[in-house]
Amino acid sequence: ASTSEDALLAADALLAADAAPWVDAGPVPGLAAYPLVGRFPEGGAFDPVEGAFYVGSLDDGRVRRVDRASGEESVVFEETAPGTWWTLGMHVDAARRRLFVCAMDDQREVTSEDPPYLGYVWELDLTTGERVAVHDLSDAQPRATCTDVTTTRDGTLYVTDREHPNVYRITGGTVELFASDDLLAGGIVGLNALVPTPDEEALLAIVYLRSRLVRIDLATRAVSDVEVDGDFSDLTPALSGADGMAFLPDGRLLVAFTSQLNTVTATTADWRAARSSTVDVAEGMTDVIVAEGVPYLLNGQAVSFALGREPEPFALVRFLVP
């Protein structure tokens, strides 16, 4: 559990004095910052029904719940099957009381297969915490991986693969290849976050490095780069890239880079073009989570994890977008 004093100390550590307008969000439930016990939380989500955040871990693969009011942190799910487990992107389907979790088995020490990872989507019951289904992405692509998952309003799941230029669709428990295109490929790291546009005419995906915003038409499956006017890259530190993404209620899109936050606004109604503005943030951000209209940045230090570093602290921090 975290205290208000702990939260303020974490906020002070994460928010540099010269950082862009990080301000108190006013009368918002909960704390300004949540120090996290779980190490290297790459992705997260918010459940508005119970008022709780969920975060994963690149360190132990556990799924943890963080109470918005108190900051109390608890483990709700841990994989017991053999493997070295990571948990990455997450999505809450509040209406159906489901938490969908991207999970990967890191097999680098036990296989020469390429890529040396296996990707799954875990489906957890938010009421009981039990896992009710495991969706194996290899049903659609041999040695598929999993970086993020989202749903449309009808409950259809869509999933990104960082090692293949693919987006998968899951309906009725069946995994299929939905879209595959060279525009979905990255350099060092490929696809990451995924969200539907507010009108659900398309999916928006980000490629981590070289960072790009990509549109996938839900009707035709056509893939195209979004023409972004403004900065859409993060070059410091090394291996920085576009990592997390979420919509604000006013239709603006937030994109969390390793050391900056971009606010992206559509300049065409179909999200084929947009403009982007940038503010610097503390190094180590891995996701942005919008909870009842209020944005929070997740400092999960994924680059440090990849480089074998031991950073502190891990935290979830509230802020306002100018």
Side-chain angles (χ1 to χ4, degrees), residues 137 139-141 167-171 174-179 221:
L137 299 181
D139 290 347
Q141 166 73 53
V167 172
Y168 308 111
R169 180 170 65 184
I170 304 174
T171 51
T174 300
V175 182
E176 63 175 330
L177 179 64
F178 179 72
R221 309 192 189 193

Side-chain angles (χ1 to χ4, degrees), residues 117-172:
Y117 312 99
L118 293 174
Y120 305 87
V121 175
W122 294 344
E123 184 174 342
L124 307 184
D125 185 319
L126 280 169
T127 303
T128 66
E130 296 180 356
R131 185 172 64 188
V132 295
V134 176
H135 305 285
D136 186 347
L137 299 181
S138 65
D139 290 347
Q141 166 73 53
R143 304 201 71 82
T145 65
C146 187
T147 41
D148 200 18
V149 57
T150 191
T151 63
T152 46
R153 284 185 287 271
D154 63 2
T156 302
L157 277 70
Y158 295 90
V159 187
T160 49
D161 184 335
R162 79 172 198 184
E163 301 293 334
H164 303 91
N166 296 344
V167 172
Y168 308 111
R169 180 170 65 184
I170 304 174
T171 51

Side-chain angles (χ1 to χ4, degrees), residues 257-300:
F257 289 76
T258 308
S259 60
Q260 71 185 41
L261 178 71
N262 282 33
T263 304
V264 183
T265 305
T267 54
T268 61
D270 58 7
W271 271 94
R272 296 182 186 276
R275 65 177 180 271
S276 175
S277 61
T278 303
V279 295
D280 292 332
V281 299
E283 180 183 319
M285 299 303 167
T286 54
D287 203 0
V288 57
I289 303 166
V290 174
E292 297 175 321
V294 179
Y296 295 77
L297 272 181
L298 179 61
N299 191 298

Side-chain angles (χ1 to χ4, degrees), residues 28-60:
V28 176
L31 309 176
Y34 299 83
L36 300 176
V37 176
R39 291 163 49 81
F40 300 104
E42 197 275 343
F46 180 74
D47 176 18
V49 176
E50 295 188 354
F53 298 98
Y54 289 87
V55 295
S57 171
L58 297 174
D59 180 60
D60 59 21

